[in-house]
Amino acid sequence: MTHLQPPALPLTYSRDVRAALDAGQAVVALESTIITHGMPYPQNLETAQRVEEEVRTNGAVPATIAVMGGKIHIGLEAEALEALAQAKDVMKLSRADLAACLALGRTGATTVAATMICAALAGIRVFATGGIGGVHRGAEHSFDISADLRELSETPVTVVAAGAKAILDLPKTLEVLETLGVPVIAYGQQDFPAFWSRSSGLLAPLRMDRPEQIAAAQVLRTRLKLPGGQLVANPIPETAEIPREVINPVIEVALEEAKTQGIGAKSVTPFLLGRIFELTNGRSLDANIALVLNNARLGAAIARAMAEETAH
Ligand code: PSU
Ligand code: MN
């Protein structure tokens, strides 16, 4: 009896990423919402290129993920990255939108949740980004809780971020992560970082100081049949930090504007980040770039450790 082959996944790989995966080498997934819904052109393109370069310099292959031309791209060739950075009408894709974007033949940028889904499909287990989505302030009224949190509990990818974005309610975000069984690991310190600042004033539930430990924990999680990934909270480098007392009043102003202007749903995060950029005269963007580069370095180290771990 012949078995029907399942239809091929709508994935397409860049040459580098295909070769690295075939050889069992370290690969780090990168999201694309940060490119299309986070930074203005051309800083978005320059940053994306620098982040990819940072991953390479640290011994891993970068796989920037996006939906273009009816396919999920695992790694973008240089021209595709340039096209995405200038594209108009790009959908912001989370778990709910990924299949719809493909069906519509539209261009879509992947959030943390969608990047995790695509990375896992491609066999990539480490992903570096800026900050994850979480529980928004006032969520007790708006119910606005990012799908990123549930994704971390379901999809086996270790996400390296500078904590959750400080525009969020961080205590509630940590509570939901705990409820969902997501390990939250601060890297090299006790405190949970707050994106632009090194500390949120909250303790992280777990601390690790070496990439090998983080890699081993992800491998063990899967071996124990625990679904889901891990959040690695890597503090922004000191030289780029914006102290809490400086950024907090700015966040308050942006939140107030979002409220009066009735900004909701998917637009909240891009709106707030955009306003904070304007209100800090670009300082928040410089900090954002520095922390993403820092996360790319750590992501590469974890991916190398994971490639070692599974080679034995
Ligand atoms: N970085 C940006 N802009 C963004 C995001 C990151 O500069 O919009 C995205 C991330 O991709 C994150 C998402 O996964 O915000 C969370 O959005 P939401 O709260 O709508 O789930
Ligand atoms: Mn939301």
Side-chain angles (χ1 to χ4, degrees):
M1 198 171 97
T2 55
H3 289 272
L4 286 177
Q5 286 288 323
L9 287 168
L11 297 183
T12 179
Y13 296 82
S14 67
R15 285 181 299 265
D16 284 5
V17 172
R18 183 69 271 166
L21 288 172
D22 288 344
Q25 287 163 354
V27 177
V28 176
L30 300 168
E31 68 160 293
S32 45
T33 299
I34 204 168
I35 302 171
T36 55
H37 293 70
M39 299 180 190
Y41 180 83
Q43 283 102 320
N44 61 347
L45 177 62
E46 286 160 18
T47 305
Q49 290 166 336
R50 279 177 68 193
V51 174
E52 289 200 350
E53 204 40 50
E54 198 69 23
V55 171
R56 283 201 184 87
T57 313
N58 287 277
V61 173
T64 301
I65 293 178
V67 175
M68 298 170 94
K71 287 258 163 52
I72 297 172
H73 288 250
I74 309 292
L76 297 176
E77 304 292 355
E79 316 76 64
L81 189 62
E82 274 174 46
L84 182 71
Q86 297 182 69
K88 302 269 174 291
D89 285 330
V90 180
M91 287 173 78
K92 176 181 161 186
L93 308 179
S94 191
R95 168 175 278 258
D97 325 281
L98 192 58
C101 180
L102 286 163
L104 291 167
R106 289 186 54 186
T107 299
T110 51
T111 60
V112 169
T115 306
M116 289 179 75
I117 294 170
C118 300
L121 284 172
I124 302 170
R125 294 168 296 172
V126 183
F127 158 29
T129 184
I132 64 158
V135 181
H136 281 266
R137 301 188 196 184
E140 61 274 31
H141 303 293
S142 67
F143 278 51
D144 190 347
I145 301 177
S146 176
D148 291 352
L149 299 186
R150 213 198 59 156
E151 206 58 53
L152 278 160
S153 74
E154 293 205 353
T155 303
V157 174
T158 290
V159 179
V160 184
K165 297 195 177 73
I167 54 175
L168 301 165
D169 186 320
L170 297 181
K172 288 196 183 75
T173 300
L174 286 174
E175 287 296 346
V176 171
L177 286 165
E178 186 188 356
T179 302
L180 292 170
V182 176
V184 176
I185 303 163
Y187 184 67
Q189 65 178 31
Q190 299 290 354
D191 283 14
F192 186 62
F195 200 66
W196 296 287
S197 324
R198 287 175 63 81
S199 171
S200 61
L202 303 164
L203 281 180
L206 296 163
R207 168 187 177 155
M208 291 188 188
D209 295 340
R210 294 194 298 115
E212 295 77 16
Q213 299 166 327
I214 299 168
Q218 177 68 64
V219 171
L220 278 162
R221 202 177 155 85
T222 304
R223 211 171 281 161
L224 292 170
K225 301 202 182 350
L226 296 169
Q230 326 185 87
L231 174 61
V232 176
N234 186 27
I236 183 172
E238 257 160 70
T239 47
E241 171 178 42
I242 309 181
R244 262 191 292 163
E245 34 325 336
V246 176
I247 198 72
N248 276 347
V250 176
I251 295 173
E252 295 296 337
V253 171
L255 284 165
E256 197 50 44
E257 288 181 9
K259 203 196 267 172
T260 29
Q261 294 179 36
I263 309 291
K266 279 174 182 294
S267 312
V268 175
T269 301
F271 174 86
L272 292 175
L273 294 176
R275 281 302 287 144
I276 292 166
F277 167 69
E278 288 162 6
L279 292 165
T280 60
N281 295 316
R283 188 172 170 197
S284 69
L285 182 61
D286 296 338
N288 201 339
I289 293 170
L291 66 86
V292 178
L293 290 169
N294 191 45
N295 296 339
R297 278 189 288 279
L298 179 57
I302 297 168
R304 279 188 281 119
M306 237 183 246
E308 279 281 309
E309 176 94 13
T310 33
H312 303 305

PDB file of all heavy atoms in Angstrom, residues 12 34 108 138 167 301:
ATOM      1  N   THR A  12      10.718  28.270   2.665  1.00  0.00           N
ATOM      2  CA  THR A  12      11.841  28.364   1.741  1.00  0.00           C
ATOM      3  C   THR A  12      13.040  28.896   2.514  1.00  0.00           C
ATOM      4  O   THR A  12      12.894  29.753   3.393  1.00  0.00           O
ATOM      5  CB  THR A  12      11.486  29.224   0.502  1.00  0.00           C
ATOM      6  OG1 THR A  12      12.629  29.281  -0.332  1.00  0.00           O
ATOM      7  CG2 THR A  12      11.055  30.625   0.851  1.00  0.00           C
ATOM      8  N   ILE A  34      10.310  43.812  14.082  1.00  0.00           N
ATOM      9  CA  ILE A  34      11.218  44.873  14.513  1.00  0.00           C
ATOM     10  C   ILE A  34      11.675  45.717  13.294  1.00  0.00           C
ATOM     11  O   ILE A  34      11.933  46.907  13.399  1.00  0.00           O
ATOM     12  CB  ILE A  34      12.397  44.188  15.240  1.00  0.00           C
ATOM     13  CG1 ILE A  34      13.098  45.076  16.219  1.00  0.00           C
ATOM     14  CG2 ILE A  34      13.337  43.533  14.304  1.00  0.00           C
ATOM     15  CD1 ILE A  34      14.047  44.271  17.126  1.00  0.00           C
ATOM     16  N   GLY A 108       4.229  39.585   5.170  1.00  0.00           N
ATOM     17  CA  GLY A 108       4.006  39.654   6.605  1.00  0.00           C
ATOM     18  C   GLY A 108       5.309  39.596   7.380  1.00  0.00           C
ATOM     19  O   GLY A 108       6.250  38.894   7.014  1.00  0.00           O
ATOM     20  N   GLY A 138      -3.197  47.837  32.476  1.00  0.00           N
ATOM     21  CA  GLY A 138      -4.648  47.956  32.331  1.00  0.00           C
ATOM     22  C   GLY A 138      -5.282  46.722  31.704  1.00  0.00           C
ATOM     23  O   GLY A 138      -6.433  46.747  31.286  1.00  0.00           O
ATOM     24  N   ILE A 167       7.043  49.072  28.480  1.00  0.00           N
ATOM     25  CA  ILE A 167       5.718  49.691  28.328  1.00  0.00           C
ATOM     26  C   ILE A 167       4.636  48.794  28.932  1.00  0.00           C
ATOM     27  O   ILE A 167       3.494  49.200  29.069  1.00  0.00           O
ATOM     28  CB  ILE A 167       5.386  49.918  26.830  1.00  0.00           C
ATOM     29  CG1 ILE A 167       5.535  48.604  26.052  1.00  0.00           C
ATOM     30  CG2 ILE A 167       6.280  50.990  26.243  1.00  0.00           C
ATOM     31  CD1 ILE A 167       5.120  48.678  24.590  1.00  0.00           C
ATOM     32  N   ALA A 301      25.868  32.332  21.026  1.00  0.00           N
ATOM     33  CA  ALA A 301      26.596  31.474  21.979  1.00  0.00           C
ATOM     34  C   ALA A 301      25.717  30.308  22.425  1.00  0.00           C
ATOM     35  O   ALA A 301      26.181  29.166  22.537  1.00  0.00           O
ATOM     36  CB  ALA A 301      27.049  32.302  23.186  1.00  0.00           C
TER      37      ALA A 301
END
